Amino acid sequence: MRATNWIRLTTYFAGAAAQGTSNTTCSSNATTLHLSDPPYENYFYSDCHAASHVVVTSPLLSSNLTIIGPRLLVAWPAGNSGIVTFFAPQNGENGTLGIQLDNSTNTGNALEPFYAPNGTGNPRVGVSGTINFNSSAILTVPILGSIRTIRDFTEGPSIIYPSIQDAISFSTTTDGGATLNRTWFDNVTTTYLSFTPLNGSDSVTINRDANTTLTFGAGTYQFNASFDYPQLEQLSPQEVLNNVSIDLIEQIPDQTTSLSFLSYTDKLLAGTWRFLTYFGRDSMISLLLLQPVLSEGEGGAIEAVIGAVLERINRTDGSACHEEVLGDYATWLNLQKNISSTAPQCDYKMIDTDYYLPIVVKNYFVDTEAGKNRTDTFFNTTASFLVDNSNLTYAQLAQVTAEKIMNTSAAFASHGGQTKDNLIHLKDGEVVGEWRDSTYGIGGGRIPYDVNTALVPAGLRAIAALSRAGFFPDHPDWNETADTYAQIWEDETLQFFEVSLSQDEAVSLAENYVNETSSFYTGLSNSEEIEGIVTFYGLALDGNNNQSIVRVMNTDDCFRHFLLNTTNQTQLSSFLNQTADHILRPFPVGLSSPVGLFVANPAFGGDPIYAKNFTNAEYHGTVVWSWQLAMMAAGLSHQLGRCKGNSVPDFCNDQTLYRRVLSAYNHLWTLINNNQEQLSGEVWSWMYNDGYQVEPLGAFTPTVSDIRQLWSLTFLAVHRENFKI
């Protein structure tokens, strides 16, 4: 992402609208952060009143103008709320309008706080800044209220909801400016956006034709973006990290500031700007990788993650919530059902999220002293986020999910039950269900590889350990039954996903793939790297075009490496060997590239549909995800670390294989170190022109990568180990 970072700590002070009021100042420092990722400039401001993320998009000469245009976006964690305004050049020449934020001549900051008392209600909070237009401009589309509404517009077919847009009020002000405001569906909260000309710039004019627009002259304008919704309580960098990790604040200020921006007392948020709310899977994967540096105890980050998941459990079937829906979007969804309510909702369509819960509970409440000391108090807490759970304790909700895992895994673990039908499938009517949750993320498959071969047995192992520690007293047999189930799932599931190709077939497929993908990849087939049978494990079963296995090489091996201590020695050695091959071999015969490991390689699919649906423009295609690099590194480190333990796996004594795995580990870290500038972002892509060049995913698709993603900050805790040959 080629991001350049600036961090500035400044003293809190009141915005102009609130100067002189006694409750407007804060007692500690504000935090500002600037992340440059052209054509996106990202500005963060956090103080005791609110946290804001402002994104200014100004197209480059090389930008695809069909998907990238000038816009100003403001995102707030509270209520997953925000504002976006799209601009166009008044002269109509696409690509000629450039916009930017100018730093304050008083403070040097691009953003200043906005705070205004609001009678007996919530104060108006937000940010103020100065936006500069290089030529006259028209504000074509404003959206005020919810990040989900903004996502529906930017990532879908430009969906506009009349009930939302028609509620925006436009008015001019005496100083030549204009104000937009919209009252939410709760009839209480209002979002405000105002523009005021500065330094002799033209007045803002309103065009009230069919679609109301604003017109600006070339020059600078002050903008104020604010809303009056209840705010979250942010964890400072000092509060989100444990005592032994405090030094990271000075060592890696960009990442620790970003982690703080996503961390609050009752939940951690998935990423910004697009996912600035609770996502269960994201927060628990992040916890698994970040736990060594996160704060423990009451009010700490670890309990914030686990408590948030438990609060949102579906009490009827034990499903863990994937994404919460709250604020204006929740009220709007309720109204679609003729329900007048602001109550939050949860998305339960994912099947993977459930299994992470017992793992993170076991890792903290069984494996750490801080967790053991907090167990009784924490699990006696009564849920309060969802009305349906308001009479249940965290202990009861944890058991409901554990019961679901035990019940759904029983059939496969039964005598003679090791059949495809007894594996875990996506929920009926859903095309997504695990982390590759885009339309073609698992190639239309119904039975995901990661869930069945890693998450189910890991969840079962955790349930067994929790039972032995005194959890789930209603099911004392789980201390043995869950382990028995886990052993069968560990040993018997890989076979269903295995793809094995002869050398000749693999070479032919790789070379054909290069011919099919000449529109975006013009490099070599690297087929000479194939020296024998090619083995990998497909993304899923029952894929598109009647494919029994989705034959896409992938990075999801990392789940087994990181989460399991498998004991089937022949299988473990073979599994490690094929993972090492994929890491060491260059794309398209492996996963390696100078820009990182691709999370998917469809070269061996044998069907043109794979090359079409797994490109460098697809969210889960031939692209790089930071957290998959982190989990693969942590997973291989875990497996290599077993060679120092009491029960040493066979591969440790096979010098050829051990060196191969160690070489893969070291090569992976070379790729990680060579892509430091991208690591804190969500996902990145590339172009090939006599070599690889990193490009933002947003250069190819309206689905813009988050500049900061929670699980992409895990290199705060994942480090290279010095394993010896």
Side-chain angles (χ1 to χ4, degrees), residues 141-176:
V141 178
I143 301 175
L144 287 72
S146 170
I147 292 296
R148 282 296 303 270
T149 306
I150 295 172
R151 278 171 51 195
D152 286 349
F153 181 81
T154 59
E155 298 175 12
S158 298
I159 299 171
I160 288 284
Y161 301 110
S163 59
I164 296 176
Q165 294 306 103
D166 293 348
I168 299 176
S169 174
F170 294 77
S171 60
T172 56
T173 56
T174 57
D175 54 10

Side-chain angles (χ1 to χ4, degrees), residues 460-476:
L460 290 166
R461 291 292 189 198
I463 289 172
L466 287 165
S467 178
R468 288 191 290 272
F471 287 75
F472 316 126
D474 295 341
H475 302 279

Side-chain angles (χ1 to χ4, degrees), residues 184-199:
W184 292 12
F185 290 109
D186 63 6
N187 293 317
V188 174
T189 307
T190 302
T191 301
Y192 304 85
L193 176 64
S194 66
F195 294 95
T196 304
L198 299 175
N199 304 324

Side-chain angles (χ1 to χ4, degrees), residues 512-535:
N512 289 339
Y513 172 78
V514 172
N515 294 329
E516 294 171 353
T517 57
S518 59
S519 61
F520 71 93
Y521 177 69
T522 56
L524 301 174
S525 71
N526 294 310
S527 58
E528 71 280 359
E529 297 278 345
I530 299 174
E531 299 174 342
I533 294 173
V534 171
T535 300

Side-chain angles (χ1 to χ4, degrees), residues 245 248 251-252 255 289-290 292-293 630 633-638 665 669 672-673 713-723:
S245 304
L248 292 173
Q251 295 169 7
I252 320 176
Q255 293 184 44
L289 292 165
L290 279 170
V293 304
L636 291 182
S637 177
H638 174 69
Y665 178 75
W669 271 105
I672 291 169
N673 291 332
L713 298 172
T714 51
F715 284 104
L716 285 166
V718 177
H719 305 293
R720 186 174 191 166
E721 303 291 340
N722 186 25
F723 294 106

Side-chain angles (χ1 to χ4, degrees), residues 523-594:
L524 301 174
S525 71
N526 294 310
S527 58
E528 71 280 359
E529 297 278 345
I530 299 174
E531 299 174 342
I533 294 173
V534 171
T535 300
F536 62 93
Y537 295 90
L539 280 177
L541 307 182
D542 296 347
N544 290 324
N545 282 16
N546 298 314
Q547 299 283 345
S548 59
I549 301 178
V550 178
R551 293 183 4 174
V552 174
M553 187 182 290
N554 60 84
T555 51
D556 286 358
D557 294 354
C558 66
F559 291 101
R560 277 182 72 97
H561 293 314
F562 181 63
L563 296 173
L564 298 179
N565 290 317
T566 57
T567 55
N568 183 323
Q569 299 302 324
T570 300
Q571 186 182 78
L572 174 60
S573 294
S574 175
F575 189 69
L576 279 164
N577 187 59
Q578 59 89 37
T579 298
D581 284 347
H582 306 159
I583 293 173
L584 290 167
R585 288 175 180 167
F587 177 80
V589 298
L591 299 173
S592 180
S593 82

Side-chain angles (χ1 to χ4, degrees), residues 121-153:
N122 297 310
R124 283 174 55 187
V125 296
V127 286
S128 175
T130 301
I131 187 169
N132 179 278
F133 300 92
N134 71 342
S135 63
S136 56
I138 300 172
L139 192 166
T140 57
V141 178
I143 301 175
L144 287 72
S146 170
I147 292 296
R148 282 296 303 270
T149 306
I150 295 172
R151 278 171 51 195
D152 286 349
F153 181 81

